[in-house]
Amino acid sequence: MKKLSFILGLALALNASAQIGFTEASSSVFTNLDVASSHPVGITDMNNDGLDDVIRMGEGLMIFVDYQQNDGSFIEVEMGALGAEVGEWGGDDAWGLCIADVDGNGMCDIMAGGFYDTIKIGLIADDGMSMEVTHADGEDIFVQGINFFDLNYDGHADIFSCHDDGPSLVIFNDGNGGFVEDETAVNAVINTSLYGGGEDDAGNYGSCFTDVNNDGYCDLYIAKCRQGVTDNTDVRRINQLWLYDPENSNYYEAAAEAGIAVGAQSWSADFGDLDNDGDMDMYTGNHDTNNMLFENDGTGVFTDISVSSGVGIIVPFATIQTAMRDFDNNGFLDILVTGGGSHYLAMNNGDGTYTVEDDLFDYQINSFGLGDVNNDGYIDILAVTGGYGGWSSENDAILMNNGGDNNYLMVDLNGTESTPDGIGARVKIEGPFGMMIRDVKSGESYGIHNSMISHFGLGQNDTIDKLTVTWPSGIVDVIDDVAVNQTVTVTEGTNVGIQEVDAGVKVSVYPNPMVNELTIQSPVSDATIELIDAQGRIVFSQVTTSNKTRIDTSDLRSGHYTWTVRADNDMIASGKVIK
């Protein structure tokens, strides 16, 4: 992979030789051991206490939440059906599930959908002990992969849902936990029916939001598979990459230009920085050909390295789920692939090679949720056999990571201007190991949800020089000298970071998006501060003698603005903000 000699050095420093193993430990977590979920399940911090909890969906309908306690025990709550009664799924189970705090009460809520049965949201009560079921506005679709993401950057988590039989669905959050479909607004943001609509835009399976081209905005990748279609040039099976355009506040399709317009029968894909060079690489799981690994060049253009890496093999099962996590804490993301009752785990050696493990646990795993279930800093697995491609109705299991002596850091986000869970934020750490990045996702792969607590393995490194969180709002929080082997909670705006500009002057501008006020903080006190709208009109100008300037923006229209800082008639800093 890129920068091979540099990566080799990092691999040695990070102790890439860590061993990996798992132990079945279901009885230590579950009160009810007799639950067999369909493939949509999840692990994440449901009650905002910094500990991952387990979410199961018995028979693809009944919600069980197991809350992790500080003493290592669990409290299990049977929330009931995410629907009126068993069988409401149109004769089938749920096909997609994801999780986020959509109503701002500090508790994560659960969304699920299936075969033309409406998308349902289980709003979790303030005490976490009950669930009120509501239905999202919008047409009934055959739900596949599903996500919460703030598509219009208003600080609220919206719904994106893949549709097997036609264009995917976008439903906006009204700010109070309700979801309303607005076709005009949807098409202005992301028009997924650009390829003819109807059947021509069918076959949407797995979806993932991440910043592909490092422009500070998350993009959307859709893995497509229209079963029965054998022509790999058919648009119904060509994966799509929707890049976000901040100038026009919408998305446009660019998979071919990026080199990842895969025409295989793809069910899922995941993104992560496999070589720790500061950009997101991609792995996609296919049914009709080898799975594929792509390397990002840093600008969002990808190269197929399936053969050279050794992981793009034809697996002996139909791939359902794919995810990247650092399972051995050696500092490099590994790749877990499951489906059809089988699995393989490609362990990243840190030098561009992988050691493939395919016999790690005696369980017919078809799908999973990932997170730290025993708070030891190692990623565990919620394993299920149900759902499409499952080979048995074996009950759900917790496969506990045996761990080791490598260090780690976990980062839990608390959004204020952005969504409460920090969905779409980028978390970066820097130290003697170089740097590592994670993007916070709600909903991954093919209809599952993995922990939104960002996890970093550190090998034997015990020093983190800097932790940086770049929020969707534009706010940047920076914490120096972070201790290892802990979970750090970062609340948006409490450690306001510094924005580097071309002239080398450090200026802090927040919040972004702005609402009623914008603050510009500069080391230059005798300067002219200006705010300019998209038409080039100066809407604010002030000569300041203070390092901090507060601008009343309550009367400004929504849109994009440019701020500037001038001293002695010279431009020393500039940037963009959104209202």
Side-chain angles (χ1 to χ4, degrees):
M1 301 178 80
K2 299 193 286 282
K3 309 179 185 72
L4 182 57
S5 61
F6 175 66
I7 298 297
L8 280 168
L10 286 181
L12 294 173
L14 289 166
N15 184 22
S17 61
Q19 299 299 308
I20 186 70
F22 296 86
T23 300
E24 198 276 331
S26 305
S27 60
S28 68
V29 176
F30 302 143
T31 299
N32 185 350
L33 293 169
D34 190 24
V35 174
S37 295
S38 184
H39 78 259
V41 293
I43 294 179
T44 202
D45 179 8
M46 289 288 293
N47 55 357
N48 202 27
D49 64 353
L51 299 172
D52 275 330
D53 309 304
V54 179
I55 302 90
R56 293 180 288 168
M57 203 169 192
E59 300 180 5
L61 181 69
M62 304 297 294
I63 298 293
F64 295 81
V65 178
D66 290 271
Y67 292 104
Q68 185 178 173
Q69 307 298 298
N70 288 323
D71 62 1
S73 64
F74 284 79
I75 296 175
E76 184 170 285
V77 179
E78 183 177 349
M79 295 291 181
L82 196 49
E85 57 184 336
V86 174
E88 186 179 310
W89 299 105
D92 212 331
D93 53 10
W95 291 67
L97 171 148
C98 71
I99 299 166
D101 181 1
V102 301
D103 56 4
N105 72 338
M107 297 293 302
C108 277
D109 309 295
I110 304 170
M111 170 175 60
F115 185 73
Y116 293 99
D117 61 348
T118 75
I119 293 175
K120 303 173 182 67
I121 300 96
L123 297 173
I124 306 300
D126 293 356
D127 62 1
M129 296 292 111
S130 62
M131 177 179 72
E132 175 188 356
V133 178
T134 65
H135 292 230
D137 186 22
E139 64 178 305
D140 291 351
I141 66 171
F142 190 178
V143 172
Q144 303 291 303
I146 198 164
N147 310 88
F148 279 122
F149 186 78
D150 185 4
L151 283 152
N152 56 357
Y153 286 87
D154 65 352
H156 304 295
D158 307 307
I159 293 172
F160 178 84
S161 179
C162 288
H163 183 16
D164 196 351
D165 296 336
S168 297
L169 188 65
V170 173
I171 310 176
F172 289 111
N173 189 327
D174 65 7
N176 298 307
F179 292 88
V180 180
E181 185 179 32
D182 182 337
E183 186 173 346
T184 300
V186 167
N187 288 336
V189 174
I190 176 170
N191 187 351
T192 60
S193 62
L194 289 176
Y195 296 95
E199 172 64 20
D200 286 342
D201 201 36
N204 305 287
Y205 271 55
S207 49
C208 180
F209 283 89
T210 194
D211 184 1
V212 168
N213 54 1
N214 279 355
D215 66 350
Y217 296 92
C218 278
D219 311 297
L220 167 65
Y221 191 74
I222 303 175
K224 293 176 70 74
C225 169
R226 191 57 168 166
Q227 294 192 70
V229 177
T230 58
D231 180 4
N232 63 6
T233 66
D234 190 303
V235 70
R236 292 170 293 177
R237 54 179 285 176
I238 297 177
N239 296 358
Q240 296 176 352
L241 172 64
W242 293 86
L243 296 177
Y244 187 73
D245 176 9
E247 293 299 321
N248 295 299
S249 301
N250 62 10
Y251 294 79
Y252 63 97
E253 208 286 316
E257 294 86 344
I260 47 177
V262 177
Q265 296 282 27
S266 304
W267 277 53
S268 58
D270 196 21
F271 289 78
D273 188 3
L274 289 166
D275 47 6
N276 290 342
D277 66 346
D279 55 55
M280 294 297 181
D281 309 301
M282 187 189 83
Y283 182 93
T284 184
N286 305 316
H287 276 205
D288 58 338
T289 185
N290 61 298
N291 293 347
M292 304 171 75
L293 181 63
F294 293 86
E295 180 185 17
N296 193 332
D297 71 354
T299 68
V301 176
F302 292 80
T303 300
D304 185 348
I305 59 168
S306 306
V307 175
S308 62
S309 66
V311 301
I313 59 177
I314 299 177
V315 297
F317 55 85
T319 297
I320 303 292
Q321 305 293 5
T322 58
M324 298 180 186
R325 294 294 187 276
D326 185 357
F327 288 96
D328 58 359
N329 284 3
N330 74 336
F332 293 93
L333 292 173
D334 312 304
I335 307 171
L336 176 63
V337 183
T338 67
S342 299
H343 69 278
Y344 82 78
L345 180 56
M347 301 301 299
N348 191 337
N349 298 320
D351 60 359
T353 68
Y354 293 78
T355 300
V356 176
E357 305 280 357
D358 57 5
D359 192 25
L360 284 171
F361 29 84
D362 184 19
Y363 186 86
Q364 291 187 315
I365 186 170
N366 184 55
S367 183
F368 56 76
L370 302 177
D372 184 6
V373 175
N374 59 351
N375 198 33
D376 68 346
Y378 281 79
I379 298 298
D380 309 302
I381 301 173
L382 164 61
V384 301
T385 64
Y388 193 96
W391 284 16
S392 76
S393 58
E394 192 172 347
N395 291 328
D396 303 339
I398 291 293
L399 305 178
M400 204 76 80
N401 194 321
N402 293 339
D405 62 358
N406 281 338
N407 296 321
Y408 69 91
L409 179 73
M410 295 193 292
V411 182
D412 190 17
L413 300 187
N414 179 21
T416 54
E417 299 290 335
S418 305
T419 66
D421 311 291
I423 298 166
R426 172 159 291 186
V427 182
K428 179 172 70 173
I429 63 171
E430 298 170 83
F433 46 82
M435 71 171 171
M436 303 180 198
I437 60 173
R438 305 285 186 264
D439 283 352
V440 180
K441 309 168 190 173
S442 174
E444 287 184 81
S445 197
Y446 178 55
I448 61 173
H449 185 98
N450 299 320
S451 178
M452 291 184 287
I453 298 177
S454 297
H455 170 266
F456 299 87
L458 297 170
Q460 293 299 296
N461 282 283
D462 58 5
T463 301
I464 299 173
D465 296 331
K466 182 183 295 185
L467 163 65
T468 304
V469 179
T470 303
W471 301 82
S473 66
I475 293 174
V476 180
D477 283 293
V478 179
I479 303 175
D480 294 324
D481 300 322
V482 179
V484 303
N485 297 334
Q486 64 163 330
T487 298
V488 175
T489 299
V490 181
T491 299
E492 186 174 10
T494 57
N495 301 274
V496 175
I498 299 300
Q499 181 174 352
E500 295 282 356
V501 295
D502 292 341
V505 177
K506 295 181 178 180
V507 176
S508 181
V509 179
Y510 58 91
N512 186 8
M514 56 186 173
V515 182
N516 295 318
E517 186 177 80
L518 180 70
T519 298
I520 299 178
Q521 188 169 340
S522 166
V524 182
S525 58
D526 185 11
T528 300
I529 307 294
E530 291 184 341
L531 195 62
I532 305 165
D533 68 14
Q535 286 73 44
R537 296 172 296 198
I538 298 175
V539 297
F540 175 87
S541 180
Q542 178 178 308
V543 177
T544 177
T545 58
S546 171
N547 292 107
K548 183 181 291 186
T549 301
R550 290 187 172 91
I551 304 172
D552 183 357
T553 60
S554 57
D555 293 333
L556 296 182
R557 294 182 178 180
S558 298
H560 293 263
Y561 294 82
T562 299
W563 57 265
T564 66
V565 179
R566 298 178 182 273
D568 297 326
N569 294 322
D570 292 326
M571 176 82 71
I572 63 170
S574 67
K576 294 185 180 297
V577 291
I578 302 172
K579 181 174 181 182

